[in-house]
Amino acid sequence: MIAVLWSVVSGPSAVPAEAVSSRSAVPAGEKGLRTLFGSENRLIRTRERVVAVTFNAAWNDAGLDGVLRELGRRRTPATFFLTGDFADRHPEVVKKLAASGYGLGNHSYSHPCFKELTAAGRRREVRAADRALRAAGAGRALTPFFRFPYSETSPAQIREVNGLGFADIEFTTDTNGWMGTAGGMTVDRAVHRALDALRPGAILQLHVGTPEGHTDVIDAQALPRILDAIAARGYRVIDLRGLLHTPACDQREPCGQLQ
């Protein structure tokens, strides 16, 4: 068991995975969830050598088999943030991830720049993605976590997301593997970016697919080395869903436990 301060640096919270309909989600009851509301979450506040591994999916699932093979081989938890458009195009992936026990988060429907949308437009994006994930079979794997497209957040937009019952969960670092070799990235560079950000409570962001015109899924290739290095440095990968079940506590002392 690991003792952790389940407060997040620079971060908000969400609602139970049961229902965000075309209306607002049912308000979350858990105190641990509520502690996440009000800001972006980029780092779990803890003294323990634990990290969270997350993946975004918006383009395709070109690297998914490799990612799941490595996660499964090590029994490593992860959270996948999917766009609604991806869920509509790949319902089999949603079902596969859910059946494999991974948490699923909301990454908007069409991955637009939120700052260019009206408040009503932003709410539509979040709700449409939620409906798509549910329709694709996310079931109980669906979490009340939202990740902004391009990680572009603002206090007002975070309040909007919180009002829909979602916590904003961002990341400490992105490996930038999604840029591909055409964008100047290599497996070595992706690994180094992840390890340079390694600290207690770090949240890593990777991607399961590639933008149009790219072929190499660098993050899928880098994942084994990243996970091996995390373990070699004495860190353990934890499941972000533990944030939902641990009450707020005095930040001077560790509290809460995650198996």
Side-chain angles (χ1 to χ4, degrees), residues 19 23 65 76 78 81 89 94 101 103 131 148-149 152 155 160 186 204 221 233:
R23 302 164 299 172
D65 287 345
T76 301
F81 288 85
R89 289 183 288 112
V94 176
R131 288 194 297 270
F148 280 87
E152 293 181 344
E160 293 169 356
T186 64
L204 304 182
Q221 298 173 40
R233 295 187 183 192

Side-chain angles (χ1 to χ4, degrees), residues 24 41 45 168 181:
S24 295
N41 296 290
R45 189 184 298 278
D168 173 32
T181 53

